[in-house]
Structures are given as structure tokens and as C-alpha cells.
Amino acid sequence: MIPKIVHLFACFYGATAVILGALGAHWLKTRLDSLQLESFKTGVHYQLIHAVVLLIAGFYAEKMAGRLFNSAVACFILGIFFFSGSIYILSTKVIWNIQTPWWLGPITPLGGLLLIVGWILFALAYKN
């Protein structure tokens, strides 16, 4: 994986996590119930943690380059999108007055699984 691409994803996910966190703390807290707001915060939390992981991965991209490392980074990128993205949609659907498709619910655990696989692949990709 090219270090610049990894850093761009890390910065994008990091910046949007801060923006969404502020949105949740100031605007959504009066529009969502406590369970919905807690779910939204979980999405932000996981997104920010994994943005930092991607940032660190970018620094090691050349040293750890290989199929396992690239797959780990791809799992993190997709996992953040599926896990946090689906949580954002599901927790705020009452505000936007939208009906979510039936398949959106299973996207959240799929994203979580991708994050777990990313961590495992990241560990396996480590080279001394």
C-alpha cells in the first residue's frame, strides 16, 4: 500500500471523526435519544481509533509492505466505512426520516469483522 494513500485515508477519517464528534456533542444531543446518541458516539470512537492506526500504518507502509500488510490496511479502511458509516445512518435515521434497507443492519458487524481481521493481519504482517 502506498504510504501517501494510507495517510490520506487516515487524515480523512480523523478529520471527519472530529467533525462528527462535534456534531454529536452539540447538535445531535438534542435530537437523538440516549441510546441513539451512544451508538453514534461508538461509531465516532471506533473511526477515530482506527484513523490513528491508519496514520501509524502509513509510517510503516514501506517497511511492512506486502500482501498481509496491504490487506490489513484495506480491512481497516473498509471496516471503518462499513462499521462507523452504518452506525451513523442507523442512529440518525429518525432525524432524516428515512427508511433503512434491511441489509444495512448486518453491515455493522461486517465492518466490525473487517476491523478485527485488519488487526490480525496487521500483527501477522510485522517483520523483524
Side-chain angles (χ1 to χ4, degrees), residues 46-97:
Y46 274 74
Q47 180 174 335
L48 190 55
I49 287 171
H50 288 89
V52 173
V53 170
L54 284 174
L55 186 65
I56 294 167
F59 290 123
Y60 290 97
E62 289 179 1
K63 179 182 179 186
M64 295 177 67
R67 197 164 58 194
L68 287 174
F69 178 80
N70 293 345
S71 296
V73 169
C75 284
F76 287 137
I77 290 169
L78 290 173
I80 293 167
F81 182 78
F82 289 148
F83 182 81
S84 293
S86 63
I87 287 177
Y88 299 145
I89 294 168
L90 291 168
S91 63
T92 62
K93 67 182 181 180
V94 296
I95 293 173
W96 313 119
N97 196 24

Side-chain angles (χ1 to χ4, degrees), residues 97-115:
N97 196 24
I98 58 171
Q99 293 289 336
T100 55
W102 67 267
W103 49 264
L104 190 59
I107 294 293
T108 308
L110 174 63
L113 181 62
L114 285 168
L115 294 174

Side-chain angles (χ1 to χ4, degrees), residues 1-2 13 24 29 34 41 55 59 62 75-76 110 119:
M1 187 73 62
I2 300 168
Y13 279 140
K29 74 177 182 180
S34 60
K41 287 180 181 180
L55 186 65
F59 290 123
E62 289 179 1
C75 284
F76 287 137
L110 174 63
W119 281 104

